[in-house]
Amino acid sequence: MILIIADTLRADHLGCYGYGSDTSPNIDRFAKEGLLFERCLSHAPDTRLSCAALLSGFLPHETSILDQGELPEAVRTLPELLHARGYATAAVISNYVLRNGQGYEQGFEIFDDTMEQRERVRQRWPERIAEQTTDRAIELLEASGDRPLFLWVHYQDPHGPYAPPPDFVRREAPGPRRPLGFSATLSGQGGIPAYQRLSAISDWRFYVDHYNGEIRYLDHHFGRLIRALQRLGVYDDSIVVFTSDHGEAMGEHDYYFAHGEYLYQHQIHVPLIMRWGSRFSGRRADYVQHVDLVPTLLSLLDIEDDAPFRGVDLFSGKGAPRDIVSQMRSPFAGDTPEISIMRDGLKLIHSLGERGDALYDVTVDPDEQRNLLLHEEYREKRDALMSRILSIWDEDRLGIEVLEPPDKPTPEELERLRSLGYVQ
């Protein structure tokens, strides 16, 4: 089984999700061979929180990562469940916040977080670009023995700063320039954040084109990985899952080239495509979420587990409306938690701090421009969603007691986290 996560990838910038430019020919081909979920939402616009939910099947506040910043050892993850049943487990990690020591290595026999490259703007921030990530993943596939394998491949691309090889960048929409201001901070509110700034270039189209170039670069190496699976004769026998941890803002709500500060759709709508030979195909338009992956994959592998997972088996036939939940906390929003809930396309965003609440009907307002919070005709549904939010916030299906706070980061780690925007 192969779990492929592309960091910071918006679903709507892929051809298979309706994008008009040819950013993703290999991913599009993969989607035609598998099952594409049109409306998958991640549980946070934050890599750490999102991956914790992906690997565990529980919401960020339940895994304690919303407050701790690390994935506690008490959380049982998918690789731990599979390893206990005889699977070989390996990971190729390319984002520094997922490095060894943060809890994501639990259950992996090999957890390769070698990052020898440096970001273009933040020169001291380690990363591994798609070519090297794919090279290492293919090495692990070629070296795997007779045991069934679970491989997690986490691509840093297309996370900013957007600096793909020039051959992957195309000017897609000639026309008047749309100059933006530069933000003095790491926030994308009102202008280009400091960590995205490429020289003195301020044109909005330039950054969108380079973001798309990052996707093309990722797609090229995704194709290499798929061809390696085919060459090794394991492609049709493998469950292959492709998704993203979160999206990225392209200027919606006057927020540019960043993530982590809002729960709007552009930051949490992600691709989800699954393939297992010819066992399933087509497209599904119902709302799904990342916590559905663990129970779904365990069911596909005929592995029983009595954990009270938040999600459901996506092939169980349960079609009733469900709570689709996302959570975050950001230093740019007072470092107070926020939670969103969606049911039947109606989405409520609730802040536990000073930020105001909002209610949107994303079925008719996908860009979330019309706040319906105070509209009387929505009062009953709004109150029901708020009641459910408060109930979920108080629920804890894991019951983890964190006995000791995490170690304080070293000055170097603190500086790196500050440069990414996770702390101030």
Side-chain angles (χ1 to χ4, degrees), residues 271-420:
L272 176 60
I273 307 168
M274 299 179 62
R275 185 187 189 276
W276 189 10
S278 59
R279 288 172 176 82
F280 32 76
S281 60
R283 302 174 74 97
R284 279 178 48 174
D286 52 321
Y287 282 100
V288 301
Q289 53 192 335
H290 274 158
V291 291
D292 295 330
L293 278 176
V294 170
T296 297
L297 294 172
L298 292 179
S299 177
L300 289 174
L301 297 171
D302 292 324
I303 294 176
E304 294 185 2
D305 192 272
D306 58 1
F309 294 117
R310 275 285 175 184
V312 301
D313 174 6
L314 292 171
F315 300 102
S316 65
K318 297 179 181 178
R322 297 191 295 129
D323 300 325
I324 307 295
V325 178
S326 299
Q327 300 170 324
M328 58 158 272
R329 63 188 311 157
S330 167
F332 299 105
D335 202 32
T336 53
E338 292 190 9
I339 181 170
S340 69
I341 186 169
M342 179 182 292
R343 180 179 281 261
D344 290 334
L346 199 63
K347 176 181 176 182
L348 178 65
I349 303 175
H350 173 59
S351 172
L352 276 69
E354 297 180 358
R355 224 183 224 181
D357 293 355
L359 180 70
Y360 301 102
D361 184 348
V362 300
T363 59
V364 297
D365 180 22
D367 295 326
E368 296 162 292
Q369 296 294 315
R370 186 169 180 245
N371 188 348
L372 305 171
L373 189 72
L374 301 181
H375 288 227
E376 183 62 25
E377 63 266 34
Y378 288 92
R379 180 176 59 84
E380 185 175 343
K381 290 183 178 180
R382 177 201 65 200
D383 292 347
L385 289 174
M386 180 62 75
S387 176
R388 187 63 186 130
I389 274 182
L390 298 176
S391 176
I392 289 173
W393 197 260
D394 289 336
E395 290 174 5
D396 184 357
R397 295 192 181 187
L398 281 174
I400 294 173
E401 292 186 13
V402 181
L403 301 180
E404 297 181 2
D407 293 336
K408 292 183 178 180
T410 65
E412 181 184 26
E413 290 175 328
L414 190 61
E415 182 178 352
R416 285 175 171 171
L417 290 172
R418 187 179 292 112
S419 73
L420 189 61

